[in-house]
Amino acid sequence: IYVFVFNSGGRKIYGRYFDLNSNVYSSEAALINASSDGWYVHQATSGNQDTWGLLKFKTSRADNCSIFAITNIDSQMVNVSAEKLGLIQTKNDLLNMTATLNHDYVERTGYFPMSGYLNGVNTATLAHSSYTSGDVSLPLTRMDAKVQFKIKKGSAEIDRLEVKNWQLFNVSRSSYIMSRDARNAFGVNDGDSEIGGYFNTDLKP
């Protein structure tokens, strides 16, 4: 996960990549008691539980800040890396950054690139208008759309349907890293602009 904090003028005052090799803690208590930046992830063990994580980092005191998070960037799916994100210096740099598929296919691994943001944060107290405590929640959304294809029989006389092959058309090749809602929240209107074009998948058996 890569975390950014921008001040009210849109300048970066904090940016760090948290990875599994050096920044992750084994428990929530261990992270809370730690003196250095880090993170902890609680994995859901059943379908009625949520997976959640906790981040701890030190940054400058400032009011009306924006916090952004980009996750699963080590995926082989898109051309986004910690090195590229490290070049970001302003909020507009991040809002206008795009992610492009490395290959023209729609199959996915367990890594889904995600992003999220909070606006109007006082870093001195982490007092956000939506929260009453010092803990601030930052929801994340997938960059991928989740699409379901449902095939229904058109006649009661059909008792068996076998799909021989399938193919998808006009799949988006690129997207902004931050969602349209996030960009609109900061005054960036996408309209119907096309970023990186579209492609058709190969015929799948």
Side-chain angles (χ1 to χ4, degrees):
I1 182 170
Y2 207 110
V3 177
F4 293 96
V5 181
F6 300 99
N7 64 19
S8 58
R11 300 295 302 179
K12 182 176 72 174
I13 60 175
Y14 183 88
R16 182 163 183 172
Y17 177 47
F18 294 84
D19 60 28
L20 291 173
N21 297 322
S22 58
N23 307 117
V24 66
Y25 284 80
S26 59
S27 68
E28 181 181 4
L31 174 60
I32 292 174
N33 294 325
S35 59
S36 58
D37 296 1
W39 65 313
Y40 163 73
V41 176
H42 175 80
Q43 297 287 352
T45 56
S46 65
N48 59 357
Q49 293 182 343
D50 292 329
T51 293
W52 55 271
L54 184 67
L55 274 167
K56 179 180 179 180
F57 58 87
K58 298 177 183 179
T59 185
S60 304
R61 291 180 176 227
D63 197 7
N64 197 27
C65 293
S66 304
I67 301 178
F68 293 82
I70 315 295
T71 69
N72 293 335
I73 59 173
D74 59 341
S75 169
Q76 297 298 311
M77 190 176 76
V78 295
N79 66 336
V80 179
S81 64
E83 290 74 22
K84 287 185 178 181
L85 290 172
L87 300 176
I88 297 292
Q89 295 299 317
T90 69
K91 181 169 60 180
N92 284 339
D93 289 342
L94 183 61
L95 290 171
N96 291 314
M97 188 175 184
T98 59
T100 302
L101 291 173
N102 293 326
H103 307 283
D104 288 350
Y105 58 77
V106 296
E107 291 81 1
R108 297 291 182 259
T109 64
Y111 285 104
F112 288 91
M114 305 177 75
S115 65
Y117 75 98
L118 285 174
N119 197 21
V121 176
N122 184 336
T123 60
T125 61
L126 281 185
H128 189 267
S129 58
S130 300
Y131 306 95
T132 57
S133 70
D135 294 331
V136 176
S137 296
L138 198 159
L140 301 171
T141 56
R142 291 194 309 268
M143 294 183 197
D144 273 292
K146 184 177 181 180
V147 180
Q148 288 184 330
F149 295 92
K150 296 183 178 180
I151 301 175
K152 296 182 179 180
K153 62 180 182 180
S155 171
E157 297 179 357
I158 299 177
D159 57 8
R160 184 174 182 271
L161 179 65
E162 181 181 354
V163 178
K164 295 290 187 180
N165 47 58
W166 58 274
Q167 186 176 13
L168 298 181
F169 297 87
N170 297 325
V171 180
S172 179
R173 183 175 284 111
S174 297
S175 173
Y176 290 107
I177 286 182
M178 301 308 301
S179 68
R180 177 171 293 186
D181 288 343
R183 287 167 54 79
N184 290 345
F186 292 100
V188 182
N189 192 339
D190 293 343
D192 296 322
S193 61
E194 182 176 315
I195 303 174
Y198 302 86
F199 67 95
N200 301 331
T201 67
D202 295 333
L203 193 67
K204 303 291 184 179

